[in-house]
PDB file of all heavy atoms in Angstrom:
ATOM      1  N   GLU B 403      17.375 -22.416  -7.262  1.00 98.00           N
ATOM      2  CA  GLU B 403      18.207 -21.265  -6.899  1.00 98.00           C
ATOM      3  C   GLU B 403      17.840 -20.090  -7.810  1.00 98.00           C
ATOM      4  O   GLU B 403      17.732 -20.250  -9.024  1.00 98.00           O
ATOM      5  CB  GLU B 403      19.685 -21.633  -7.098  1.00 98.00           C
ATOM      6  CG  GLU B 403      20.621 -20.545  -6.624  1.00 98.00           C
ATOM      7  CD  GLU B 403      22.082 -20.921  -6.829  1.00 98.00           C
ATOM      8  OE1 GLU B 403      22.409 -22.127  -6.748  1.00 98.00           O
ATOM      9  OE2 GLU B 403      22.871 -20.011  -7.087  1.00 98.00           O
ATOM     10  N   VAL B 404      17.621 -18.936  -7.193  1.00 98.00           N
ATOM     11  CA  VAL B 404      17.264 -17.753  -7.980  1.00 98.00           C
ATOM     12  C   VAL B 404      18.531 -17.137  -8.569  1.00 98.00           C
ATOM     13  O   VAL B 404      19.487 -16.865  -7.851  1.00 98.00           O
ATOM     14  CB  VAL B 404      16.507 -16.723  -7.118  1.00 98.00           C
ATOM     15  CG1 VAL B 404      16.340 -15.406  -7.865  1.00 98.00           C
ATOM     16  CG2 VAL B 404      15.146 -17.281  -6.714  1.00 98.00           C
ATOM     17  N   LEU B 405      18.536 -16.929  -9.899  1.00 97.00           N
ATOM     18  CA  LEU B 405      19.711 -16.341 -10.565  1.00 97.00           C
ATOM     19  C   LEU B 405      19.581 -14.832 -10.702  1.00 97.00           C
ATOM     20  O   LEU B 405      20.571 -14.143 -10.946  1.00 97.00           O
ATOM     21  CB  LEU B 405      19.907 -16.961 -11.952  1.00 97.00           C
ATOM     22  CG  LEU B 405      20.200 -18.461 -12.004  1.00 97.00           C
ATOM     23  CD1 LEU B 405      20.422 -18.897 -13.446  1.00 97.00           C
ATOM     24  CD2 LEU B 405      21.408 -18.822 -11.159  1.00 97.00           C
ATOM     25  N   GLY B 406      18.359 -14.315 -10.563  1.00 97.00           N
ATOM     26  CA  GLY B 406      18.208 -12.866 -10.655  1.00 97.00           C
ATOM     27  C   GLY B 406      16.818 -12.462 -11.101  1.00 97.00           C
ATOM     28  O   GLY B 406      15.967 -13.312 -11.394  1.00 97.00           O
ATOM     29  N   TYR B 407      16.624 -11.146 -11.135  1.00 98.00           N
ATOM     30  CA  TYR B 407      15.309 -10.591 -11.452  1.00 98.00           C
ATOM     31  C   TYR B 407      15.398  -9.642 -12.637  1.00 98.00           C
ATOM     32  O   TYR B 407      16.424  -8.994 -12.857  1.00 98.00           O
ATOM     33  CB  TYR B 407      14.767  -9.810 -10.251  1.00 98.00           C
ATOM     34  CG  TYR B 407      14.636 -10.658  -9.007  1.00 98.00           C
ATOM     35  CD1 TYR B 407      15.675 -10.746  -8.088  1.00 98.00           C
ATOM     36  CD2 TYR B 407      13.489 -11.397  -8.778  1.00 98.00           C
ATOM     37  CE1 TYR B 407      15.564 -11.545  -6.958  1.00 98.00           C
ATOM     38  CE2 TYR B 407      13.369 -12.195  -7.662  1.00 98.00           C
ATOM     39  CZ  TYR B 407      14.417 -12.262  -6.748  1.00 98.00           C
ATOM     40  OH  TYR B 407      14.296 -13.053  -5.642  1.00 98.00           O
ATOM     41  N   MET B 408      14.315  -9.571 -13.380  1.00 98.00           N
ATOM     42  CA  MET B 408      14.155  -8.549 -14.410  1.00 98.00           C
ATOM     43  C   MET B 408      12.716  -8.059 -14.269  1.00 98.00           C
ATOM     44  O   MET B 408      11.823  -8.864 -13.995  1.00 98.00           O
ATOM     45  CB  MET B 408      14.375  -9.126 -15.805  1.00 98.00           C
ATOM     46  CG  MET B 408      15.765  -9.749 -16.002  1.00 98.00           C
ATOM     47  SD  MET B 408      16.138 -10.151 -17.724  1.00 98.00           S
ATOM     48  CE  MET B 408      15.285 -11.715 -17.921  1.00 98.00           C
ATOM     49  N   ARG B 409      12.543  -6.764 -14.404  1.00 98.00           N
ATOM     50  CA  ARG B 409      11.185  -6.218 -14.302  1.00 98.00           C
ATOM     51  C   ARG B 409      10.967  -5.240 -15.436  1.00 98.00           C
ATOM     52  O   ARG B 409      11.880  -4.510 -15.816  1.00 98.00           O
ATOM     53  CB  ARG B 409      10.996  -5.462 -12.982  1.00 98.00           C
ATOM     54  CG  ARG B 409      11.165  -6.299 -11.733  1.00 98.00           C
ATOM     55  CD  ARG B 409      11.381  -5.398 -10.531  1.00 98.00           C
ATOM     56  NE  ARG B 409      12.067  -6.109  -9.470  1.00 98.00           N
ATOM     57  CZ  ARG B 409      11.458  -6.730  -8.466  1.00 98.00           C
ATOM     58  NH1 ARG B 409      10.156  -6.689  -8.371  1.00 98.00           N
ATOM     59  NH2 ARG B 409      12.160  -7.385  -7.570  1.00 98.00           N
ATOM     60  N   GLN B 410       9.767  -5.211 -15.939  1.00 98.00           N
ATOM     61  CA  GLN B 410       9.456  -4.228 -16.963  1.00 98.00           C
ATOM     62  C   GLN B 410       8.011  -3.787 -16.813  1.00 98.00           C
ATOM     63  O   GLN B 410       7.165  -4.533 -16.335  1.00 98.00           O
ATOM     64  CB  GLN B 410       9.722  -4.780 -18.363  1.00 98.00           C
ATOM     65  CG  GLN B 410       8.897  -5.976 -18.748  1.00 98.00           C
ATOM     66  CD  GLN B 410       9.345  -6.608 -20.051  1.00 98.00           C
ATOM     67  OE1 GLN B 410       9.543  -7.796 -20.111  1.00 98.00           O
ATOM     68  NE2 GLN B 410       9.482  -5.822 -21.106  1.00 98.00           N
ATOM     69  N   ARG B 411       7.784  -2.539 -17.172  1.00 98.00           N
ATOM     70  CA  ARG B 411       6.429  -1.984 -17.126  1.00 98.00           C
ATOM     71  C   ARG B 411       5.897  -1.912 -18.547  1.00 98.00           C
ATOM     72  O   ARG B 411       6.479  -1.250 -19.409  1.00 98.00           O
ATOM     73  CB  ARG B 411       6.432  -0.602 -16.478  1.00 98.00           C
ATOM     74  CG  ARG B 411       5.036  -0.012 -16.374  1.00 98.00           C
ATOM     75  CD  ARG B 411       4.931   0.974 -15.257  1.00 98.00           C
ATOM     76  NE  ARG B 411       5.176   0.316 -13.970  1.00 98.00           N
ATOM     77  CZ  ARG B 411       5.251   0.953 -12.800  1.00 98.00           C
ATOM     78  NH1 ARG B 411       5.128   2.256 -12.764  1.00 98.00           N
ATOM     79  NH2 ARG B 411       5.460   0.289 -11.682  1.00 98.00           N
TER      80      ARG B 411
END
Side-chain angles (χ1 to χ4, degrees):
Chain B
E403 185 180 328
V404 171
L405 297 182
Y407 301 92
M408 301 191 279
R409 298 163 203 266
Q410 62 189 130
R411 182 154 297 175

